[in-house]
Amino acid sequence: MGEAEVIRVAVVDDEPLVRAGLRVILGSAEDITVVADCGGASAVEAVRSGRVDVLLLDIRMPVLDGPSVLRQVVGLPKAPAVAMLTTFDAREHVDEVLRLGAAGFLMKNTAPEQLIEAVRALAAGRRVLAPEAVGQVIDGYLLAGRDEEALRQVRALTGREREVLALVGAGLSNRAIAGRLHLAHGTVKDHVSAVLAKLGGLNRVQAAVVADRADLVEAGAGRG
């Protein structure tokens, strides 16, 4: 998505009042437009029928809950970045939805300016993990230390690809990675695509988990 383009957002929640509030907040930003808001039962069709860059998805909904919607959405062509919305301790869902490909968690009572910045971050390919939503569970999941499976996956990468993966794990956008490594933006995009493919077709968030578990992140983020 180009920098001058408007970010297209879909809001999925079973409460019409919540959807209306999020629509008003996001609509106040010139670079964001809400193209759809609906309950879980209509979510997949809403995403499929129109280009959506970011999907804000409630976890608990009748008929079709957030994880069920997520499973279907991540398989769509040009799937949007998905952040789960919650008002409660969502510990039991963290591992499941991150493995499914969610870009993180947002609280429904997130301050308007923070919500807008979160959507921009999601559209740029970064993770958005509200500490209030998951507490120490997120730290335990993403920063679980050295993991043999992660190390095995990382060994298949070239040195440059490991550098790029480390910075993906640190939450940097492709443009920021290009600046950090003094590479062309297009070159970084190619490296990221190669990394995701070598890791077994993971998305950016899942690749960041691998970077964290292989202890790449601290070293990569510390490069000047």
Side-chain angles (χ1 to χ4, degrees), residues 17 21 60 87 110 134 151 158 170 172 175 184:
L17 188 59
R60 286 186 177 171
T87 56
T110 297
V134 295
L151 291 171
T158 67
L172 274 66
R175 196 168 299 280

Side-chain angles (χ1 to χ4, degrees), residues 36-52:
D37 70 78
C38 60
S42 304
V44 178
E45 182 56 36
V47 173
R48 184 184 286 117
S49 62
R51 182 172 65 82
V52 176

Side-chain angles (χ1 to χ4, degrees), residues 14 32 36 83 97 99 104 135 138 153 168:
D14 61 321
I32 297 173
V97 298
R99 288 187 183 280
I138 261 301
Q153 291 176 291
V168 168

Side-chain angles (χ1 to χ4, degrees), residues 19-188:
R19 301 200 304 265
L22 292 173
R23 179 180 278 276
V24 169
I25 291 170
L26 296 174
S28 68
E30 293 184 357
D31 59 336
I32 297 173
T33 183
V34 178
V35 296
D37 70 78
C38 60
S42 304
V44 178
E45 182 56 36
V47 173
R48 184 184 286 117
S49 62
R51 182 172 65 82
V52 176
D53 302 308
V54 175
L55 171 62
L56 301 182
L57 178 61
D58 190 16
I59 291 180
R60 286 186 177 171
M61 296 180 291
V63 185
L64 199 63
D65 64 7
S68 298
V69 172
L70 180 60
R71 286 188 187 91
Q72 297 182 55
V73 167
V74 295
L76 296 176
K78 297 182 179 179
V82 182
M84 310 304 293
L85 294 172
T86 185
T87 56
F88 57 91
D89 186 345
R91 291 168 188 261
E92 70 273 22
H93 295 287
V94 172
D95 186 84
E96 176 188 14
V97 298
L98 288 181
R99 288 187 183 280
L100 285 173
F105 285 80
L106 288 172
M107 300 296 290
K108 291 184 183 179
N109 62 353
T110 297
E113 63 275 12
Q114 292 176 345
L115 178 64
I116 289 169
E117 286 305 314
V119 166
R120 290 170 177 157
L122 290 162
R126 298 196 295 275
R127 289 176 288 167
V128 176
L129 303 171
E132 303 92 337
V134 295
Q136 295 180 347
V137 176
I138 261 301
D139 293 332
Y141 179 72
L142 294 182
L143 305 176
R146 297 175 69 85
D147 177 279
E148 289 305 317
E149 175 62 17
L151 291 171
R152 183 193 64 76
Q153 291 176 291
V154 166
R155 280 195 291 268
L157 306 179
T158 67
R160 176 62 84 186
E161 288 168 349
R162 283 194 289 271
E163 289 181 313
V164 170
L165 176 60
L167 295 174
V168 168
L172 274 66
S173 66
N174 287 352
R175 196 168 299 280
I177 293 172
R180 183 73 65 89
L181 297 180
H182 307 291
L183 297 173
H185 183 232
T187 300
V188 170

